[in-house]
Amino acid sequence: MELLPECSINTCRKLRERGVNPSITVMKTHTAPSTPPIAVALAVVAALLLAGCSAPAAERSPGRRVILFIDQSASIDRDQRRQWRNDANGLVGGIRDGWSVSIFGIHDHTLESAPLFEVDIPMFVSDGTSKTAAARNAAIQTARQAALAAVEKALDTSGAARTDIFSALDRVHPDPRSRPTVIVFFSDMLNSTSELNMERTGSVTLQNIGALIPSLARRHLWRKDSLAGSEVYCVLNSIEIGRNAPPVDRRVQEVFYAGLFGAMSAKLARYETSLGGAYAPR
């Protein structure tokens, strides 16, 4: 298996401007195809959801697949979970017809645990009856409420001893309907399993990223198209004044994850403490 990480030009330029020398030798990877920003999917015209409403097929969104991973490790405090709740609720509150939404916990059994929530809503049939449209709208509202409850429960659960970030990627499978896929992590992104303990200072550096990514790919059997076309958003925890900085510098983390996702043909769209303007809740 051959996965080749790539440090993006913009990311490396930013690192140089901040005095960090990205001296890693990088090799070219496959670039993920461009996908519409998440704001487009979450700003679908509300009129399409009204009972009896119809629209030409060419004007309809193909739907979207949204996968949320929520960190349930002991390292995330309650205040941070409350901050994440707003972003997560904004996402699932925008569920539309044609959407698939899955929510998973991140902890020491990320791979083996059942999903916290899953729903797949059929696409609206424009020539359907008003009764069918009303049933669809009811299904959407039910899915939204259930997803909001799942987010609440996920963020109220903590205490896991380890954070298995990498196994989360093993939970993402090809979408049979080939919809645009958005993957959102609510986590400090510090994997702490034996294969790579990022809570240890010096575990990830600009110099060793080129070796770490192919090693992880071989262990997890990742392919170059494992996340093809996906956009990945990482919503990090906020570091308070006076607290210690993460053991792996966040600029280095970003380079690492951009290379990791890029090696599987996905795009790291955001690596920040909030989703910011990446969605438009309705």
Side-chain angles (χ1 to χ4, degrees):
M1 182 175 303
E2 194 175 351
L3 290 178
L4 307 177
E6 179 179 16
C7 172
S8 70
I9 295 175
N10 290 335
T11 302
C12 292
R13 183 181 297 118
K14 291 178 181 178
L15 289 171
R16 292 192 183 96
E17 291 174 353
R18 298 179 183 180
V20 178
N21 180 24
S23 55
I24 179 174
T25 300
V26 299
M27 295 173 285
K28 187 175 182 181
T29 61
H30 295 279
T31 302
S34 175
T35 57
I38 191 170
V40 174
L42 293 172
V44 174
V45 181
L48 294 179
L49 297 177
L50 297 177
C53 178
S54 65
E59 297 177 9
R60 298 304 314 280
S61 165
R64 180 164 292 266
R65 184 171 66 151
V66 178
I67 305 173
L68 274 62
F69 292 102
I70 296 177
D71 196 327
Q72 297 181 317
S73 65
S75 60
I76 306 300
D77 61 37
R78 186 170 296 275
D79 287 341
Q80 180 60 56
R81 295 180 188 281
R82 280 196 292 265
Q83 294 178 38
W84 282 344
R85 183 176 290 111
N86 291 333
D87 276 338
N89 286 349
L91 281 170
V92 301
I95 290 175
R96 301 286 192 266
D97 56 331
W99 277 43
S100 165
V101 177
S102 301
I103 302 175
F104 296 89
I106 297 177
H107 38 67
D108 42 2
H109 291 288
T110 302
L111 181 62
E112 299 88 359
S113 295
L116 303 175
F117 175 82
E118 283 189 310
V119 68
D120 198 334
I121 303 175
M123 179 61 73
F124 167 52
V125 179
S126 60
D127 59 352
T129 64
S130 59
K131 182 177 179 180
T132 300
R136 185 199 73 252
N137 291 337
I140 290 172
Q141 291 303 320
T142 299
R144 287 178 179 174
Q145 293 303 315
L148 290 168
V151 166
E152 187 77 19
K153 183 176 180 179
L155 288 169
D156 281 343
T157 303
S158 62
R162 294 188 305 277
T163 306
D164 187 357
I165 298 288
F166 304 135
S167 289
L169 303 178
D170 299 333
R171 306 300 300 264
V172 181
H173 304 291
D175 180 24
R177 292 166 59 184
S178 301
R179 291 166 293 191
T181 296
V182 172
I183 302 169
V184 184
F185 285 89
F186 292 94
S187 174
D188 60 9
M189 299 306 290
L190 294 176
N191 189 84
S192 59
T193 61
S194 58
E195 62 181 338
L196 179 60
N197 185 0
M198 296 175 68
E199 293 182 349
R200 180 174 57 83
T201 301
S203 56
V204 178
T205 66
L206 293 174
Q207 289 70 35
N208 70 6
I209 288 174
L212 288 175
I213 294 176
S215 175
L216 290 167
R218 287 190 293 269
R219 180 185 292 268
H220 289 266
L221 304 179
W222 293 330
R223 305 181 310 275
K224 291 182 180 180
D225 62 348
S226 290
L227 301 177
S230 299
E231 284 189 344
V232 185
Y233 294 77
C234 297
V235 185
L236 310 171
N237 60 316
S238 177
I239 306 298
E240 296 180 6
I241 296 174
R243 296 286 184 90
N244 292 333
V248 176
D249 185 275
R250 281 200 167 156
R251 294 167 296 180
V252 177
Q253 290 180 36
E254 185 174 1
V255 173
F256 170 70
Y257 281 112
L260 180 66
F261 300 139
M264 289 183 275
S265 300
K267 174 186 176 182
L268 177 59
R270 189 170 178 86
Y271 203 80
E272 264 294 348
T273 54
S274 73
L275 279 176
Y279 70 92
R282 290 282 179 180

